[in-house]
Amino acid sequence: MAQRSQQAAPAPRLDADKAAALRLTPVSRETEDRLDRYVDLLLQWQAKTNLISPATLPNLWTRHISDSLQLLNLAPDAKIWLDFGSGGGFPGVVLACAMGDVAGGHVHLVERNAKKAAFLREALRVTQAPGTIHLADIGDNVDRFPEHVDCITARAVASLHIVIGFAEPFMKSGTKALFLKGQDVESELTEATRYWNISPRLHASLTGGQGWIVELDRIERLTPSANQNGHTNDRN
């Protein structure tokens, strides 16, 4: 019996979604061109490697690109970024595309999965965006990452109290952390305050839904005695 050839599913039409995303988070023409090349590459790889949930493909620009770009408004002066668990490139590659417009801008992307790290390298090559890929576990070899970081990011990596632990060694004077979280942000914050002295600011995602951004300017580990006394920190 003759075998039927299997064709890849056609790429979704993203024109309207792209237009909606760029109304939410406008970028320069140069950054838009870099993002276009990144999206084209992601769609090519997505046919072979599951980089993002297939259900989100029709809304790739608003669900992923714009969701990442909104971080720029919360750290407008940041040049050196460190993104934990970059996966398919959100927010790391998107931020790197934007940093192409910034003198001295650079994004360090940390990813433990070799296949995804290979995709991230190709994404930076295709877009010519300023970035470095670190194939590593997030908590390993802290000294391999930059000495000073302006902003630390993470999206869908781990629970908040764990991500805060990854970020703590890099939190110097002037460093900011921006963590993209979902509808369980309140319970994650409650858990995090059992381990960390923090004063988080919560920002509702511009892209709607139940997304939130947790902004931190300071992270201090609680002492065991503080934990035993049930110490918690009020949130803004």
Side-chain angles (χ1 to χ4, degrees), residues 47-58:
K48 302 174 293 182
T49 303
N50 189 37
L51 296 170
I52 61 174
S53 169
T56 66
L57 282 174

Side-chain angles (χ1 to χ4, degrees), residues 37-119:
R37 294 197 294 272
Y38 168 48
V39 168
D40 287 344
L41 181 71
L42 187 147
L43 292 175
Q44 293 171 27
W45 279 61
Q46 180 72 14
K48 302 174 293 182
T49 303
N50 189 37
L51 296 170
I52 61 174
S53 169
T56 66
L57 282 174
N59 305 109
L60 193 160
W61 278 87
T62 49
R63 182 76 176 269
H64 298 291
I65 302 291
S66 190
D67 194 52
S68 301
L69 287 172
Q70 66 180 321
L71 300 181
L72 295 167
N73 293 330
L74 298 176
D77 299 323
K79 292 185 177 182
I80 306 301
W81 297 71
L82 176 59
D83 183 42
F84 290 139
S86 298
F90 306 107
V93 172
V94 175
L95 294 172
C97 287
M99 287 298 103
D101 291 344
V102 178
H106 199 89
V107 181
H108 293 267
L109 301 93
V110 184
E111 174 54 49
R112 64 180 295 181
N113 181 288
K115 186 175 290 188
K116 290 180 178 179
F119 167 75

